[in-house]
Amino acid sequence: MVPKIHAGLEMEMAGNGNSRIAGNSKKRLHILGEKLKRFPGLVWRTMWKVGRDDPRRVIHALKVGLALTLVSLLYLIEPLFEEVGQNAIWAVMTVVVVLEFTAGATLCKGLNRGLGTLLAGSLAFFIEYIADASGRVYRAVFIGAAVFLIGAAATYMRFFPYIKKNYDYGVVIFLLTFNLITVSSYRVDNVLKIAHQRFYTIAIGCGVCLLMSLLVFPNWSGEDLHNSTVFKLEGLAKSIEACVNEYFKDGNTEATEQTSEDPIYKGYKAVLDSKSIDETLALHASWEPRHSRYCYRFPWQQYVKVGAVLRHFGYTVVALHGCLRTEIQTPRSVRVLFKDPCIRVVGEVSKALMELANSITNRRHCSPEILSDHLHEALQDLNTAIKSQPRLFLGSNENQATNMLALAAAHAKQKHEKDSGVSLSSCKTDSSALFEWKSKRIAEQSKETERKVLRPQLSKIDITSLEFSEALPFAAFASLLVETVAKLDNVIEEVEELGRMACFKEYRHDDEKIVVTCERPQMDVTQNHLPSHGVE
């Protein structure tokens, strides 16, 4: 029997537990209520931000709604429904799948869908015509063999690089339509009429999509690729300039985490992530008609090459950004000695990148003076400033560095002879030699363990004790800065080739030299540009 005092304690503990659970439940309900109150405002702010970033998204949503309404008339209007029947649903499915954000993407998917449906229907009718001449059993065998061979061949063709790049969606639609018509023909007698109605409804859906994409506020993939190239040039110019200003700014530089709000990281991130975006936009742009004023066919693949060169340039900017967060930093008193020439060099590089962006924006060739004498003078000043401080990079005693190199070479040679050479006196076969070898091995293992524990700390102490160690980070920074100048030539060469192939107008001295640096709308590539290989 439980004593009364214990029973009272158990009742009190149970009451406390129930009250605690009730309090937690009320707290969770209160938090949930607060979230529900804030939910409408959060949804509204998200909708406003998405539309403000790119107003074309709102227009595209309205275009899709209008297109779906038009194809729904096949169901809503009685005469049209009597002609088309239940196959009108294929027109709705075609609009949902084919109508993309840009005209090039819509043309690519629409023509792929139409071509795949036409070829599949024609081949299915040919197979059906041959199968009708045989008996029912042989007809089933013939249809099964045809489905196997055509399916395997079409699937294998999807691995061809050219087919995969341009017609992968069309091959998928071909497989779907061919199998539906061929297999259905074995059980359905009036399959020809069904195929005709399905083809007509798909054609109606594709026609509505092309009408909305090409004639109602069209969005061109080529223009997006053109503007994204300008945006990347401007981003690199701002990023490299901000990086050098951060390196030489007054005050202590604190190592901060790399975030999306960092202007340096924000500038080059769009360049490094642009490979798949550029290739997709170039593919869709190749399907678009010549809609420019002069009807020139722009070399979209050259834009892809420009993007590749900009990514290589961006890798150097990433390395420059990494110099801001190295473990060993050059003292600010030393950096000041080289501040002016470095800022002048990066100023000229940034100016050249902005001039390239301006030339692409205005579709004209860049200025012949894009690499002015000021850049050469800034490089010469930087070279002179580095030569004027030999003690920073060679130490206080020039012979000391030579002696250190000589000692290191002698030590390496001695170690090589010790490892490769074998002494005859060391070749013993008695038990004492075996015991001596074991004891030596144990001693070496203990020393190696101790060395592994102390190596990181000792190596850092050794590095910081070198007289020129604090100048090495700046040497790396200056080397990367000169590397950007060298890679700038490649960028200029590709942009000039782009201007030649795209028939840009010639540069004139009276051209306006104002560089447009406004924020361009961000493109949702995942939803708007990348092809979605559906099977509807």
Side-chain angles (χ1 to χ4, degrees):
M1 182 177 180
V2 181
K4 292 183 178 180
I5 184 172
H6 291 172
L9 289 174
E10 289 180 355
M11 291 176 63
E12 184 177 356
M13 292 175 62
N16 292 335
N18 293 332
S19 62
R20 189 181 299 109
I21 294 174
N24 292 336
S25 300
K26 291 181 179 180
K27 185 176 180 181
R28 284 195 292 268
L29 289 175
H30 178 72
I31 295 174
L32 180 60
E34 292 295 330
K35 289 183 178 180
L36 291 176
K37 290 180 181 179
R38 292 194 300 266
F39 183 73
L42 179 63
V43 172
W44 172 252
R45 287 193 298 271
T46 304
M47 293 174 59
W48 180 261
K49 182 179 183 301
V50 171
R52 184 184 58 187
D53 291 341
D54 191 352
R56 299 180 302 171
R57 297 170 180 171
V58 180
I59 299 175
H60 177 68
L62 297 176
K63 288 163 60 176
V64 173
L66 180 59
L68 290 173
T69 304
L70 292 177
V71 295
S72 298
L73 296 178
L74 297 175
Y75 264 109
L76 301 177
I77 299 178
E78 191 66 26
L80 296 178
F81 181 77
E82 292 177 356
E83 290 292 331
V84 179
Q86 296 293 335
N87 288 298
I89 193 63
W90 287 90
V92 179
M93 294 174 61
T94 300
V95 171
V96 173
V97 175
V98 171
L99 188 54
E100 294 286 342
F101 184 75
T102 61
T106 302
L107 280 168
C108 180
K109 297 192 71 174
L111 296 179
N112 267 273
R113 189 177 182 89
L115 185 62
T117 303
L118 181 62
L119 292 178
S122 303
L123 184 59
F125 292 148
F126 178 73
I127 297 296
E128 177 65 17
Y129 177 78
I130 297 177
D132 284 340
S134 58
R136 188 169 182 82
V137 177
Y138 291 102
R139 182 184 180 188
V141 174
F142 184 78
I143 290 176
V147 168
F148 171 77
L149 292 176
I150 299 299
T155 303
Y156 188 73
M157 289 178 61
R158 294 183 64 189
F159 293 105
F160 294 176
Y162 182 77
I163 298 295
K164 186 176 184 61
K165 180 180 179 181
N166 295 279
Y167 302 104
D168 187 70
Y169 181 70
V171 175
V172 173
I173 296 300
F174 169 83
L175 279 174
L176 175 65
T177 306
F178 175 79
N179 283 275
L180 286 177
I181 296 176
T182 304
V183 176
S184 299
S185 65
Y186 187 75
R187 297 292 181 182
V188 180
D189 295 333
N190 199 12
V191 69
L192 183 62
K193 182 179 179 181
I194 297 176
H196 281 169
Q197 291 178 347
R198 184 169 298 177
F199 179 77
Y200 293 152
T201 53
I202 291 177
I204 292 172
C206 290
V208 171
C209 291
L210 295 179
L211 177 68
M212 301 301 296
S213 294
L214 298 177
L215 301 181
V216 181
F217 299 103
N219 299 319
W220 305 103
S221 298
E223 291 295 329
D224 285 348
L225 181 59
H226 182 88
N227 294 332
S228 67
T229 303
V230 176
F231 181 76
K232 287 184 289 187
L233 283 167
E234 295 176 354
L236 285 176
K238 296 176 182 178
S239 180
I240 189 174
E241 192 169 10
C243 185
V244 175
N245 291 334
E246 179 74 15
Y247 191 77
F248 290 103
K249 76 175 183 179
D250 297 333
N252 295 327
T253 303
E254 297 180 357
T256 57
E257 295 183 358
Q258 184 172 282
T259 61
S260 58
E261 299 299 330
D262 188 356
I264 304 175
Y265 174 72
K266 187 178 180 181
Y268 63 73
K269 181 181 182 298
V271 179
L272 301 182
D273 298 340
S274 64
K275 185 176 186 297
S276 61
I277 301 174
D278 291 348
E279 292 177 352
T280 303
L281 290 176
L283 172 62
H284 293 163
S286 63
W287 289 82
E288 293 177 348
R290 304 182 185 184
H291 55 275
S292 63
R293 182 173 60 180
Y294 301 102
C295 293
Y296 293 140
R297 185 169 182 83
F298 276 53
W300 306 120
Q301 292 302 322
Q302 184 62 28
Y303 280 93
V304 177
K305 293 182 180 180
V306 174
V309 173
L310 291 180
R311 280 192 297 275
H312 285 287
F313 189 92
Y315 298 149
T316 307
V317 181
V318 174
L320 277 173
H321 194 195
C323 291
L324 302 179
R325 294 173 172 82
T326 55
E327 292 292 333
I328 301 174
Q329 290 286 343
T330 301
R332 199 155 303 277
S333 58
V334 177
R335 299 187 201 181
V336 174
L337 300 175
F338 312 98
K339 178 179 179 180
D340 291 338
C342 287
I343 290 181
R344 288 174 57 193
V345 169
V346 75
E348 294 297 326
V349 172
S350 177
K351 180 181 177 181
L353 291 174
M354 297 299 281
E355 168 61 24
L356 292 175
N358 192 23
S359 66
I360 296 178
T361 301
N362 299 323
R363 287 184 169 86
R364 63 164 175 79
H365 290 280
C366 58
S367 172
E369 300 177 356
I370 185 172
L371 293 179
S372 61
D373 294 335
H374 299 292
L375 178 59
H376 180 71
E377 294 173 359
L379 287 173
Q380 292 296 329
D381 292 343
L382 178 60
N383 185 38
T384 303
I386 293 176
K387 286 184 177 180
S388 65
Q389 303 293 333
R391 296 179 61 182
L392 291 175
F393 303 96
L394 299 177
S396 58
N397 188 0
E398 297 182 2
N399 295 328
Q400 181 180 0
T402 305
N403 295 334
M404 290 174 63
L405 294 176
L407 290 174
H411 179 70
K413 182 178 180 180
Q414 182 180 1
K415 183 177 181 181
H416 176 71
E417 293 177 353
K418 183 179 179 181
D419 294 338
S420 59
V422 179
S423 177
L424 294 177
S425 60
S426 61
C427 300
K428 300 179 181 180
T429 58
D430 55 356
S431 59
S432 61
L434 182 60
F435 178 77
E436 180 180 355
W437 177 82
K438 286 184 178 181
S439 60
K440 186 182 297 184
R441 182 65 177 173
I442 293 173
E444 289 178 356
Q445 290 179 353
S446 62
K447 290 181 180 180
E448 185 177 357
T449 304
E450 183 179 1
R451 192 181 302 115
K452 287 181 180 179
V453 175
L454 297 178
R455 183 175 298 168
Q457 183 179 1
L458 291 176
S459 62
K460 192 169 183 179
I461 293 176
D462 291 340
I463 292 175
T464 54
S465 64
L466 297 176
E467 295 187 19
F468 54 89
S469 63
E470 293 180 338
L472 290 179
F474 173 76
F477 184 85
S479 176
L480 291 172
L481 195 59
V482 175
E483 182 70 14
T484 59
V485 179
K487 290 185 176 181
L488 183 62
D489 291 335
N490 299 330
V491 178
I492 296 175
E493 181 179 353
E494 292 297 333
V495 173
E496 278 296 299
E497 180 67 16
L498 172 64
R500 185 187 65 80
M501 298 176 65
C503 300
F504 284 175
K505 61 183 180 181
E506 294 296 331
Y507 174 81
R508 295 182 303 175
H509 291 284
D510 56 347
D511 286 341
E512 188 177 3
K513 296 185 179 181
I514 299 177
V515 179
V516 180
T517 59
C518 60
E519 293 291 335
R520 288 176 172 79
Q522 299 178 357
M523 295 173 293
D524 190 355
V525 179
T526 304
Q527 298 179 1
N528 300 335
H529 299 290
L530 295 180
S532 56
H533 302 295
V535 295
E536 289 82 357

